[in-house]
Amino acid sequence: MKHLFARFATKVSEWAGKPVIFILALIAVVIWAGLGPFFDYSETWQLVINTGTTIVTFLMVFVLQNAQTRDTRAIQAKLNEIILTSHAENRFIGIENLDEEELKRLDELVAKAAKGRGETEACRTSEAVNAAPSKKAEARKRSMAAKAPKQKQRPLEKS
């Protein structure tokens, strides 16, 4: 049942985001508005559009939220994989579970580090140009050699 709803939510969210669906909804509203004089702008005439839009909105919230949640989880898994297989710090894995204050504090720390790194990066770059490129090349070779066994079995693969 879960997989059926997930496939349904994905298809509906793809379908609902197309311009033709917006045009069809706009046409429906124009037709409804055009029928106003014919129905003498009655309460029933108003109730039709109110009920229809409320039902569609209510159901679409759940469908779109499901699709968005799965997309977000997939992106987090991909980012975690990149972090695990790179020189990035593993402490960033799972930070999406922090509260708002902790995320703000972490964002400020990363911004400070990036600013500080930017100033020192220019010095490192000029030093690297003047020095033999072997240090950087050796570090890359070591990291590639260290990563080679990891690529045979990824964290999400079954043993």
Side-chain angles (χ1 to χ4, degrees), residues 54-113:
T54 300
I55 289 170
V56 169
T57 303
F58 180 75
L59 295 175
M60 287 302 288
V61 164
F62 296 104
V63 169
L64 295 176
Q65 185 61 46
N66 179 274
Q68 184 179 9
T69 300
R70 283 183 294 107
D71 286 347
T72 301
R73 285 186 182 145
I75 290 169
Q76 287 300 323
K78 290 174 185 179
L79 290 173
N80 289 345
E81 178 69 8
I82 290 170
I83 290 169
L84 286 171
T85 59
S86 72
H87 293 291
E89 296 186 35
N90 289 346
R91 67 181 173 159
F92 287 100
I93 293 178
I95 64 169
E96 65 275 6
N97 299 320
L98 298 177
D99 65 21
E100 192 64 32
E101 288 301 315
E102 291 171 325
L103 282 174
K104 283 181 183 177
R105 190 173 61 77
L106 185 62
D107 189 40
E108 290 168 2
L109 290 173
V110 170
K112 279 183 185 177

Side-chain angles (χ1 to χ4, degrees), residues 102-159:
E102 291 171 325
L103 282 174
K104 283 181 183 177
R105 190 173 61 77
L106 185 62
D107 189 40
E108 290 168 2
L109 290 173
V110 170
K112 279 183 185 177
K115 187 176 182 181
R117 191 176 283 174
E119 293 168 2
T120 59
E121 197 67 32
C123 296
R124 286 188 201 146
T125 304
S126 64
E127 290 171 5
V129 168
N130 295 333
S134 60
K135 286 183 182 179
K136 212 171 202 181
E138 286 178 35
R140 282 195 180 138
K141 284 180 186 176
R142 281 195 307 268
S143 71
M144 292 303 285
K147 288 180 191 175
K150 287 183 183 178
Q151 290 178 352
K152 289 181 182 175
Q153 183 175 351
R154 299 280 180 159
L156 299 178
E157 289 179 354
K158 294 180 182 174
S159 299

